[in-house]
Amino acid sequence: MEIKSNILRIAIFATGLSGIVAEYILSTLATYFLGDSVLQWTMIMSVMLFSMGLGSRISKSITEKLLEKFILIEFLLSFLVAFSSLAAYTISAWSMYTGIVIYGLSILIGLMIGMEIPLVMRLNQEFQVLRVNISSVLEYDYYGSLLGGAFFAFIGLPYLGLTYTPIVLGFVNFSVAIGLFVILWERIEAKLKKRIVSLALVVGGVLISGFFIAQPIIEFGEQKKYKDKVVYSEQSKYQKIVITQWKKDYWLFINGNQQLSSFDEEMYHEPLVHPALSLSKTPYNVLILGGGDGCAVREILKYPNVQKITLVDLDPAMTNLGKNNEIIKKINQNSFANNKVNILNTDGFYYIENTDEMYDVIIIDLPDPKTIEIGRLYSFEFYRKCYRQLRKHGILITQAGSPYYAFNAFTCINKTMKKAGFSTTPMHNQVITLGEWGWILGAKNISEANLKSELQSLTFESLETKWINNEAMTLMTSFGKDYFRNDSSEIEVNEIHNPVLYKYYLKGVWDLY
């Protein structure tokens, strides 16, 4: 009797583990395909919890053959979970309705999970009194959730990725079903045993096949997202990194968003680096936040008086790409091998908050602020900390998205830097593969009245550049009339406790892009 009760507790432990991991998998898929991580994680978790409630309600209509039906639910759950990623990638290759599939799976998986817990309680009631039964079932379910979260964060996503984590999870549910079937064999009606064995063979075979077909299917779905040939793809703990090739040029994408193209990346990286470095009279110590591709470092190394470059990028997969991938190394001219460069893989906000080092120039080359998480690195609090770590004549420049496709977001970044104490000048350039892109340059000890004129006087004659020159500086710091500024006074400053920037960004006119 104790063995039977224990196997039921193990089953509910596995249910808690697989349930929470399934929620994380679907939330990650929704973020990757649909964007806005806060919205997607919130809605997926809410939809699944609501569906679990419905599943619990439905379970009360199951009045007989509880064990057999629990095993069948486990089989179905193992199939749905194991092939959730494959379904999302397959649908994404052929239609625009990936979101419907992901949310549909959330509902179905939530229903299955919601039905399991009441069924286990009812199966276990003959082995334990009510108060012990309820507490032990919920206890093991919650313990499983903790282990599931740790598994997804530290093993599943970083090592197995979205390709194999769901399949492993499917095997967890399948193993639970088989364990219950074997140990509680005598409780199952004879005529159902053959059916369950046959179904187990089919489901087991399908799950095993998943290990062989998963990678090709996901690669196919991945390729359909990009118009050019995918030559490199990696799911790190933090993001999806993809490199594509067209003729002799390469494109780098993070979570489906272009970061650079070898065709014209100098038209982005030269404006990012040279105005700030040339404006600084003493660019001895330079900090880069982001920039894991190494192209900003390549440009900084053109200044012989630079003594130290510290690059802080959260994702080691990205900096390893910059150091070791032959395609990226060729683009960045193996800049990470220079002994002036020190690479740290940590959160930029945490680093600037805790460092005691003072810098002459800070260059912020981060992804667009389309989520609250990234928006922290464009906040008043963050810029204020950067201001504190700059020397008296320090310069800061940040990529700021598009001044036209996301005007409100661009203006918000400018306002936020001003509030942090910087004199600022917006800049922009037509990067052929990115469209009209922008930066905000801030100075500590140059008045706003003089900052623009000083930038326009820069010549770069002693530097080897491919695009930027004095004429370019006049163009980059000129915007014409305030075409979009009818209601810019209503744009708020981005703060940690008032994260408005990501909303401005997502509400940009990206359809025109």
Side-chain angles (χ1 to χ4, degrees):
M1 185 173 294
E2 184 65 26
I3 294 175
K4 295 175 181 178
S5 181
N6 285 338
I7 191 63
L8 287 170
R9 286 197 290 270
I10 292 171
I12 206 64
F13 178 87
T15 297
L17 185 151
S18 62
I20 200 72
V21 178
E23 292 175 12
Y24 294 159
I25 288 170
L26 291 165
S27 298
T28 304
L29 286 170
T31 297
Y32 183 48
F33 285 105
L34 306 175
D36 195 345
S37 61
V38 173
L39 174 65
Q40 301 307 331
W41 277 76
T42 301
M43 292 308 301
I44 290 290
M45 301 289 275
S46 299
V47 166
M48 289 194 73
L49 288 170
F50 173 75
S51 300
M52 288 166 64
L54 289 180
S56 296
R57 182 178 181 85
I58 292 170
S59 70
K60 69 180 182 180
S61 63
I62 301 175
T63 56
E64 57 183 15
K65 299 183 177 63
L66 302 185
L67 178 59
E68 292 87 341
K69 288 175 181 175
F70 181 84
I71 291 172
L72 293 176
I73 289 170
E74 284 290 311
F75 283 158
L76 179 57
L77 187 60
S78 65
F79 176 80
L80 289 174
V81 171
F83 293 95
S84 56
S85 280
L86 297 187
Y89 277 91
T90 301
I91 294 298
S92 72
W94 300 109
S95 79
M96 300 171 57
Y97 301 109
T98 311
I100 294 175
V101 172
I102 293 172
Y103 276 88
L105 285 169
S106 301
I107 293 170
L108 290 174
I109 292 172
L111 287 171
M112 299 296 105
I113 295 171
M115 294 170 69
E116 288 179 321
I117 296 176
L119 289 178
V120 169
M121 285 183 177
R122 290 161 64 186
L123 286 167
N124 198 41
Q125 66 185 356
E126 66 181 85
F127 306 119
Q128 293 179 325
V129 296
L130 181 62
R131 62 183 176 83
V132 177
N133 180 20
I134 293 175
S135 65
S136 63
V137 168
L138 293 177
E139 175 188 6
Y140 278 81
D141 181 63
Y142 297 148
Y143 290 165
S145 297
L146 174 62
L147 183 61
F151 167 78
F152 183 78
F154 299 109
I155 299 174
L157 190 58
Y159 295 107
L160 301 175
L162 293 176
T163 304
Y164 296 111
T165 299
I167 299 174
V168 170
L169 192 61
F171 268 102
V172 170
N173 292 101
F174 182 73
S175 300
V176 166
I178 295 300
L180 285 169
F181 181 57
V182 171
I183 293 176
L184 302 179
W185 172 270
E186 75 281 359
R187 292 173 59 89
I188 300 173
E189 290 186 13
K191 64 180 181 180
L192 291 176
K193 289 178 180 177
K194 289 185 178 180
R195 295 180 187 176
I196 293 176
V197 169
S198 299
L199 185 59
L201 291 173
V202 171
V203 174
V206 171
L207 291 178
I208 291 171
S209 71
F211 282 108
F212 299 97
I213 67 173
Q215 191 64 34
I217 289 176
I218 285 184
E219 287 179 356
F220 174 76
E222 192 73 55
Q223 179 62 73
K224 293 292 286 187
K225 289 184 63 180
Y226 302 95
K227 63 181 180 180
D228 301 318
K229 180 183 178 182
V230 174
V231 295
Y232 180 88
S233 178
E234 178 182 2
Q235 174 65 61
S236 77
K237 180 179 179 180
Y238 303 102
Q239 56 200 355
K240 181 77 172 183
I241 303 169
V242 171
I243 301 174
T244 66
Q245 179 182 9
W246 180 68
K247 295 184 178 180
K248 294 182 179 181
D249 286 299
Y250 297 91
W251 277 252
L252 172 66
F253 295 86
I254 292 179
N255 290 340
N257 300 300
Q258 181 185 325
Q259 303 303 300
L260 66 83
S261 168
S262 61
F263 180 77
D264 60 359
E265 53 85 11
E266 293 88 355
M267 299 180 78
Y268 172 89
H269 288 106
E270 289 184 358
L272 175 71
V273 170
H274 295 302
L277 269 289
S278 296
L279 197 63
S280 173
K281 307 304 180 186
T282 57
Y284 303 139
N285 196 5
V286 180
L287 172 65
I288 307 173
L289 299 172
D293 52 64
C295 294
V297 173
R298 178 198 66 207
E299 297 301 316
I300 294 169
L301 288 171
K302 295 177 180 179
Y303 294 80
N305 52 346
V306 170
Q307 299 170 2
K308 182 179 179 182
I309 303 169
T310 302
L311 184 139
V312 178
D313 193 300
L314 178 63
D315 194 351
M318 190 64 242
T319 52
N320 287 338
L321 197 74
K323 285 190 288 187
N324 303 315
N325 183 275
E326 292 303 319
I327 295 170
I328 304 300
K329 280 173 62 180
K330 184 177 180 181
I331 296 172
N332 69 30
Q333 297 175 11
N334 201 21
S335 62
F336 283 164
N338 193 287
N339 58 15
K340 293 182 180 180
V341 181
N342 179 37
I343 298 173
L344 301 174
N345 293 121
T346 188
D347 177 71
F349 193 98
Y350 174 84
Y351 177 81
I352 203 69
E353 187 174 43
N354 291 281
T355 185
D356 294 324
E357 192 160 357
M358 301 298 292
Y359 294 96
D360 300 295
V361 178
I362 296 177
I363 294 173
I364 302 173
D365 186 18
L366 295 164
D368 293 345
K370 58 175 60 180
T371 67
I372 288 180
E373 300 94 321
I374 299 175
R376 290 186 315 137
L377 296 158
Y378 293 82
S379 66
F380 163 74
E381 292 85 352
F382 176 71
Y383 290 137
R384 192 61 194 166
K385 294 176 190 299
C386 289
Y387 188 94
R388 181 194 64 195
Q389 297 310 128
L390 282 168
R391 293 196 176 103
K392 182 179 179 181
H393 298 285
I395 304 292
L396 179 144
I397 188 167
T398 181
Q399 88 86 10
S402 174
Y404 296 129
Y405 298 123
F407 166 76
N408 286 356
F410 187 79
T411 303
C412 175
I413 295 171
N414 191 23
K415 281 190 170 185
T416 304
M417 285 179 60
K418 284 179 184 290
K419 184 177 178 181
F422 289 99
S423 301
T424 66
T425 291
M427 302 191 304
H428 67 120
N429 186 36
Q430 176 67 27
V431 183
I432 299 169
T433 60
L434 278 176
E436 193 74 17
W437 221 251
W439 305 262
I440 308 291
L441 185 141
K444 253 186 115 168
N445 210 26
I446 304 174
S447 69
E448 199 146 301
N450 294 331
L451 183 56
K452 184 174 180 178
S453 60
E454 288 197 30
L455 285 168
Q456 292 181 343
S457 68
L458 297 175
T459 61
F460 315 109
E461 292 177 354
S462 62
L463 296 171
E464 183 182 340
T465 62
K466 287 192 174 182
W467 180 80
I468 200 168
N469 58 14
N470 177 255
E471 182 182 35
M473 287 308 303
T474 301
L475 294 171
M476 286 167 52
T477 54
S478 302
F479 283 81
K481 290 185 177 181
D482 295 339
Y483 188 79
F484 292 104
R485 296 183 184 269
N486 294 333
D487 58 353
S488 62
S489 61
E490 299 178 6
I491 296 173
E492 299 180 71
V493 167
N494 187 50
E495 298 176 303
I496 296 292
H497 300 295
N498 185 32
V500 295
L501 178 58
Y502 87 100
K503 298 176 184 177
Y504 292 141
Y505 182 90
L506 294 175
K507 291 179 180 178
V509 289
W510 292 107
D511 289 344
L512 297 177
Y513 176 69

